[in-house]
Amino acid sequence: MINLKDKDGQFQKMLICGIPGSGKTFFSKKLVNQNNYNVLVWTPNKHDFEDVGNNFIVYHNQKLDAKIARGEVVTRAEIQEDFEQFLIAGKSLAQQKLIDGLLIDELDLYYSSNHGNSPTMEFLITNHRHIPEGRGMFLIGITRKPQDIGTKFSGTCMHQIFFTMDEVNAITRLNKIYTNLGNDVKAVPFKSYKFYHKEIGKEPILCNPY
């Protein structure tokens, strides 16, 4: 079982990567449940979290939900505002010890729509281990495009999980993280649900389905 706490008992960051259907969301839900974490979730794919328990709080913006239901286009500015409000709510809940951390699905959407300029996100990336002091809050990001994730987040993750990927830019990015990691990840059979676990300071390990 992967523990999101370090040796001092403080929560860390995790990035989960892979193509659609490779097992990212299933992995994240099982990780949260096995550790009995309470988590606030931001996701554009709310149907993926319909089967979760009360330890998951799926963030809803009723205005945007209604707009999507009507088939209307959500603007970049609306995504920015929605994400910022989610982060503010998550920070407050963690400070009150009502949640253990945040789960951000499709993290690359934040970077593509917000250019990494959210002051709250920047604060959390740097200071999440002190909210609240002595315990912190975890940050879990899920993405199909690790090459789009800012290095302030990906470069400081205690754990990175890689399910199979095939995009050239993604493979190139992973090969820079660790020699041949991208090539190895590409070779993982789709729907095998196997993954590589790269813990900071350690070699990647091929793991069986979680």
Side-chain angles (χ1 to χ4, degrees):
M1 181 187 296
I2 298 173
N3 190 341
L4 288 178
K5 290 183 178 180
D6 64 14
K7 59 182 177 62
D8 297 318
Q10 290 184 308
F11 280 118
Q12 300 296 313
K13 293 192 289 294
M14 172 182 278
L15 184 63
I16 305 170
C17 311
I19 62 176
S22 58
K24 303 185 301 298
T25 304
F26 177 83
F27 175 92
S28 68
K29 291 190 288 189
K30 195 162 185 179
L31 175 71
V32 168
N33 284 328
Q34 286 189 346
N35 288 283
N36 295 313
Y37 295 145
N38 293 305
V39 62
L40 181 66
V41 180
W42 185 87
T43 177
N45 308 307
K46 292 183 172 57
H47 59 277
D48 286 343
F49 291 87
E50 291 175 348
D51 60 344
V52 296
N54 294 331
N55 56 323
F56 287 79
I57 305 172
V58 181
Y59 178 81
H60 284 273
N61 181 317
Q62 293 182 345
K63 181 181 176 181
L64 289 190
D65 287 349
K67 191 171 183 179
I68 292 170
R70 293 193 299 268
E72 299 177 15
V73 176
V74 176
T75 67
R76 175 176 293 183
E78 288 174 320
I79 293 175
Q80 292 174 354
E81 176 62 23
D82 181 57
F83 192 75
E84 188 69 17
Q85 293 305 312
F86 158 77
L87 294 172
I88 292 170
K91 179 183 174 185
S92 175
L93 290 170
Q95 194 69 58
Q96 299 172 66
K97 299 183 179 179
L98 296 176
I99 62 170
D100 298 305
L102 303 180
L103 174 57
I104 306 168
D105 190 18
E106 306 289 1
L107 180 60
D108 48 280
L109 288 180
Y110 158 69
Y111 282 98
S112 62
S113 65
N114 211 30
H115 304 296
N117 290 328
S118 161
T120 308
M121 184 64 165
E122 292 298 296
F123 178 84
L124 290 177
I125 289 173
T126 304
N127 299 288
H128 69 94
R129 292 180 296 124
H130 305 289
I131 306 170
E133 198 64 54
R135 187 184 79 154
M137 60 187 292
F138 63 74
L139 302 177
I140 300 176
I142 301 176
T143 182
R144 67 186 70 183
K145 297 180 178 180
Q147 69 273 19
D148 290 352
I149 307 303
T151 54
K152 283 186 179 180
F153 187 98
S154 62
T156 56
C157 283
M158 176 67 72
H159 304 279
Q160 296 193 60
I161 304 297
F162 301 106
F163 291 89
T164 189
M165 281 182 283
D166 53 14
E167 285 192 15
V168 173
N169 290 337
I171 302 306
T172 301
R173 172 73 175 266
L174 299 193
N175 281 335
K176 290 180 180 179
I177 293 175
Y178 194 88
T179 304
N180 286 324
L181 176 59
N183 300 329
D184 292 338
V185 167
K186 185 178 180 180
V188 174
F190 182 57
K191 293 292 186 180
S192 70
Y193 304 114
K194 293 183 177 182
F195 60 90
Y196 275 91
H197 175 204
K198 175 69 176 77
E199 187 173 354
I200 196 165
K202 298 182 180 180
E203 294 184 3
I205 300 173
L206 180 62
C207 302
N208 289 319
Y210 202 54

